[in-house]
Structures are given as C-alpha cells and as structure tokens.
Amino acid sequence: MNKILSAMVSVPVAIIGLTVGPAHATIVTYSGIDDGAPVSGPWPNSAAAQSSFLAAAAAFGPVSTATFETAATGFYTPVAAGPGLSISISPDTPDYGTYQSGVWNGTNGNLWGFNTTPGGSNWLGFGGGSATLNFAQPTNSVGMYLTGLEAQWGSSVTFTFNDGTLETLGFTVANAGGARYFGFTDTTAISSVTITNSATIDRWGVDDVSYNAPEPASLALLTAGLAGLGLTRRRRA
C-alpha cells in the first residue's frame, strides 16, 4: 500500500516540495517558513505550523519538547535530548566547531542555525550531514524547528523514517537563512527518523523537537518489562 498524504497544513508563503515514498500508513505534514527572519524572531509562519502540529500531536498522547537547554555543550554523539529521545550525529557530519556543530548556546547569525526556545539559548547545530532521532518508545508525531537552511546552496531536507518512507522537502524562497518548522503525524508509530541536508556546505540547526514522550511511569514499566524478559530468557537457557 502506498503512503497517502491525507493533508498538508501550511501557512502563507510556506510552500514546499514533497516527495512521498512507499509505506503502510497515513502521514500529515505541517510546515511554515520565515525566510530571512532574525535569530530573535518573530517567526509567525513557523509558529503557526508548530501550533497546528502540537494540537494534532496531543491527540496521540502527552507531548514532550526537547529544547537542549540542559544538554552539555560541544560536539558529541549521541545527544540525550529528552525523555526517551536520543539523537545520533552521523559519523560523516563534520565538526566545524563553536556555533556550527554540536550543542551550543550562541550563534553566528540566522544563516548558521540558532536557538528557537523562548527564554532559552541552546540548540543543536550541523555542518551538512545528517542526524538520527531515536525514540525509546515509538511516537506518532515528531516536529521541530530547522534554522539557517539556504536554498542557494541547493539545500533540501530529507526525513527518512524507520519504515523506509522518505519525505524530501525543498525550499522555494529560503535563500537568507531564518527559521522553518516541519512536523509530521502518522497513524503508524515512528521509532526513528533521520534528517539529512543535501547541501554539504550548508550550516544549519535544529531545536524544539516535539514528540509523544512516554510518561515516566510508562517508561519505568517498559524498562522493567525488558529486564524481566531478559531474566526469563536466561533462566530458560
């Protein structure tokens, strides 16, 4: 069965190109682009897309947002981003240093990536390459701000889900950095998604990653259950 794009929710001037691959579920894409917006905002189109996405994501259960505010700064992998969420930076993603690669609390401007958390400062930067979001408990939604992407470098972003589905999103007006929000909800739960920027020389960032996080009690039960399963297998052996 082909994946069906049942709805695309976007705001004015948030126009994207979309390539949909084969899968077994229904996905809804939320997008908003604020081309050239400064690091201090406002980002009205992106914020509107985020608001719509969060409302839809809540229908699947509690939503958590990873802001990177408590993450150690520097370039390392994996990054413990939030409850049940770790982000692995691809080995071929270069480390371009301060304010460009890894977790940082400053910026070189809106062309390089920046913080989008109200009252915050940290964000996760990339020098081209890719990153994989791994969920300890599968989620039916994932959304995030991407910042500093520039179409003049031929940049597009591909989201590769664990079932092999590809969502390739191009930018028709994003030539001057700024912020853009992308979110997805899926009736089939997502255990991982890899974000790849096609432009290897483009510096960019990600912040405020939202997803259906397990409640602490549920996560503890899941851990205990896995431990019990391992004990049972050892006894049988």
Side-chain angles (χ1 to χ4, degrees):
M1 181 184 299
N2 291 331
K3 169 158 279 196
I4 302 172
L5 182 66
S6 63
M8 181 184 297
V9 180
S10 60
V11 291
V13 309
I15 303 172
I16 63 174
L18 177 63
T19 300
V20 181
H24 54 80
T26 300
I27 195 170
V28 180
T29 301
Y30 301 80
S31 68
I33 295 177
D34 295 284
D35 188 30
V39 298
S40 58
W43 314 298
N45 298 323
S46 298
Q50 181 190 37
S51 180
S52 296
F53 163 78
L54 290 175
F60 292 99
V63 178
S64 181
T65 299
T67 64
F68 304 100
E69 295 305 314
T70 60
T73 57
F75 184 84
Y76 57 92
T77 187
V79 177
L85 170 62
S86 66
I87 300 179
S88 299
I89 299 174
S90 173
D92 62 359
T93 301
D95 177 6
Y96 288 107
T98 306
Y99 304 153
Q100 299 182 53
S101 304
V103 179
W104 296 108
N105 56 10
T107 182
N108 279 338
N110 71 342
L111 302 180
W112 301 78
F114 51 87
N115 164 73
T116 58
T117 308
S121 60
N122 285 12
W123 54 286
L124 182 60
F126 300 90
S130 63
T132 299
L133 283 63
N134 297 293
F135 302 97
Q137 181 172 307
T139 176
N140 289 97
S141 67
V142 57
M144 69 210 73
Y145 274 93
L146 301 183
T147 57
L149 295 167
E150 297 181 82
Q152 64 181 321
W153 302 118
S155 127
S156 64
V157 174
T158 298
F159 296 83
T160 305
F161 296 90
N162 55 278
D163 64 2
T165 300
L166 301 179
E167 300 285 342
T168 299
L169 307 176
F171 313 112
T172 57
V173 295
N175 289 310
R180 43 217 38 90
Y181 192 88
F182 295 113
F184 307 93
T185 59
D186 199 331
T187 55
T188 296
I190 301 161
S191 59
S192 69
V193 57
T194 298
I195 313 168
T196 305
N197 184 354
S198 66
T200 57
I201 62 173
D202 192 15
R203 313 292 189 268
W204 58 291
V206 61
D207 200 6
D208 295 330
V209 181
S210 297
Y211 57 102
N212 296 115
E215 297 182 39
S218 298
L219 188 59
L221 288 173
L222 175 63
T223 302
L226 291 174
L229 179 61
L231 180 60
T232 299
R233 287 179 175 174
R234 285 196 297 272
R235 285 177 175 174
R236 288 179 177 175

